[in-house]
Amino acid sequence: LSTILQLYDFPEATMTSAQRELTPSPLPPLLVMNSSFVQDQAASLAADVRREPDLNSKVRGIYRRLLGRDATAHELQLASKFLETGSLTEYAQALLSTNEVIFWP
């Protein structure tokens, strides 16, 4: 069984499971924060929108590529505040760690 799947409480492959067991664990968020794969994906997302004319357009572009929807006004406001001190790549990585991405239906 994949180590990554084990971190996300994937059931044992040789047994049936009616639903996913949820266990509170710091391992999945730590994986997303420290994974070179996630960091590379965040850098790629940021690079894709670098040519957008302004900050809001860049944030909207990341939301469209990652979540398939537009950012809300509140999300744009939060992004603007974050990007006062953080980079676009760091913001993309933060979005990659949201439940909306991790638990995509």
Side-chain angles (χ1 to χ4, degrees), residues 6-79:
Q6 288 175 333
L7 290 176
Y8 283 94
D9 296 329
F10 193 81
E12 177 63 41
T14 60
M15 304 177 83
T16 60
S17 177
Q19 71 182 57
R20 182 173 168 209
E21 297 293 325
L22 298 178
T23 56
S25 171
L27 296 178
L30 287 171
L31 171 74
V32 172
M33 285 174 32
N34 298 313
S35 164
S36 61
F37 173 76
V38 174
Q39 292 169 355
D40 290 345
Q41 295 306 304
S44 179
L45 277 168
D48 285 348
V49 299
R50 290 236 190 262
R51 294 181 189 246
E52 294 290 335
D54 58 43
L55 183 64
N56 281 346
S57 297
K58 291 176 182 172
V59 172
R60 283 187 184 105
I62 289 176
Y63 269 81
R64 285 186 200 114
R65 284 167 175 79
L66 184 60
L67 302 172
R69 65 173 180 84
D70 283 326
T72 65
H74 181 65
E75 289 167 336
L76 288 171
Q77 185 180 38
L78 290 173

Side-chain angles (χ1 to χ4, degrees), residues 63-69 98-105:
Y63 269 81
R64 285 186 200 114
R65 284 167 175 79
L66 184 60
L67 302 172
R69 65 173 180 84
T98 63
N99 281 345
E100 191 171 351
V101 173
I102 293 173
F103 298 109
W104 191 281

